[in-house]
Amino acid sequence: MTFLNLSLLSAFIPTFFVVSITPGMCMTLSLSLGITVGVRRAMWMMAGELVGVGIVAATSAVGVATFMLQYPAAFDLFKYAGGAYLAWLGIQMWRSRGKMAMPETNAEPITSSRWELAAQGFVTAIANPKGWAFFVVLLPPFIDSALPMTPQLMALVLIILTLEFLCLQLYAHGGRTLRRLLSKGGSVRLANRVSGSLMVLVGVWLAFG
């Protein structure tokens, strides 16, 4: 890997793992979907989230995000609309209604489509100004200007996405385990309220964080 600085890489991987594993909007969303739709369907949300994170990371590294952060009004409408949509989904889940809620009977739930799940992940990742600011500050110091930029940037973004995916999986599996615990003894409504509350939290966090 002549296009990577191995000494920087040895610090880069643990740094970004800690960043990814720290609870945030995307991890909370993964936990919530792990409860309601399960790990397999939550992977569609993860796909959308990873696309968003990849865009944020790549553009931050080349300085585009610096310009965008100088004009935060461009984010406002997008993040408020996304936050309101996620909060609305959370309220529906809390009431055991809507596509995302677990059914309280043996009936099959009407689940969100793959594209709806992917859109939730994408909006949550890309409409968060703090995420942009974070990458602007943290990613550039790990780029070696003496090495080829394009393959180096592609490798670093790929590592970021791998770490992010592993952490999303951990949270989604945690949500699935929580679902099993809450579903015992007729606690489906409680499971919906827990996951719905988490979804509302993500929506408020996205809009006003």
Side-chain angles (χ1 to χ4, degrees), residues 101-119:
M102 295 169 56
E104 294 190 45
T105 65
N106 292 327
E108 286 292 322
I110 304 175
T111 58
S112 294
S113 71
R114 296 170 177 177
W115 292 111
E116 287 173 324
L117 292 169

Side-chain angles (χ1 to χ4, degrees), residues 14-76:
T15 298
F16 274 84
F17 177 77
V18 171
V19 168
S20 294
I21 200 67
T22 301
M25 286 188 291
C26 293
M27 296 304 152
T28 304
L29 182 60
S30 187
L31 177 67
S32 176
L33 293 181
I35 295 173
T36 55
V37 301
V39 175
R40 181 175 298 179
R41 288 192 62 80
M43 288 184 68
W44 289 100
M45 180 281 295
M46 297 178 197
E49 194 266 352
L50 292 176
V51 171
V53 169
I55 292 173
V56 172
T59 53
S60 296
V62 297
V64 175
T66 303
F67 172 80
M68 296 182 71
L69 288 170
Q70 291 176 351
Y71 301 94
F75 279 110
D76 289 345

Side-chain angles (χ1 to χ4, degrees), residues 37-208:
V37 301
V39 175
R40 181 175 298 179
R41 288 192 62 80
M43 288 184 68
W44 289 100
M45 180 281 295
M46 297 178 197
E49 194 266 352
L50 292 176
V51 171
V53 169
I55 292 173
V56 172
T59 53
S60 296
V62 297
V64 175
T66 303
F67 172 80
M68 296 182 71
L69 288 170
Q70 291 176 351
Y71 301 94
F75 279 110
D76 289 345
L77 182 61
F78 189 41
K79 71 173 187 174
Y80 291 148
Y85 175 64
L86 292 177
W88 178 79
L89 286 177
I91 292 171
Q92 292 291 94
M93 291 162 63
W94 202 89
R95 299 173 63 191
S96 295
R97 297 180 179 179
K99 296 180 179 181
M100 304 296 298
M102 295 169 56
E104 294 190 45
T105 65
N106 292 327
E108 286 292 322
I110 304 175
T111 58
S112 294
S113 71
R114 296 170 177 177
W115 292 111
E116 287 173 324
L117 292 169
Q120 291 176 36
F122 181 80
V123 169
T124 303
I126 208 168
N128 179 16
K130 287 185 177 180
W132 289 88
F134 177 81
F135 278 108
V136 167
V137 172
L138 192 58
L139 184 56
F142 291 101
I143 298 175
D144 190 337
S145 60
L147 296 174
M149 179 61 66
T150 300
Q152 183 179 190
L153 178 58
M154 291 177 62
L156 293 178
V157 171
L158 181 60
I159 292 171
I160 289 171
L161 296 180
T162 300
L163 294 173
E164 185 80 0
F165 177 71
L166 290 174
C167 293
L168 287 169
Q169 284 286 319
L170 289 174
Y171 275 83
H173 278 84
R176 184 177 65 180
T177 300
L178 185 59
R179 170 180 177 153
R180 290 172 178 170
L181 294 174
L182 292 175
S183 296
K184 293 179 179 179
S187 298
V188 173
R189 181 178 291 270
L190 177 59
N192 281 332
R193 290 184 173 180
V194 169
S195 55
S197 298
L198 291 172
M199 187 74 78
V200 171
L201 174 63
V202 173
V204 173
W205 198 348
L206 179 62
F208 300 106

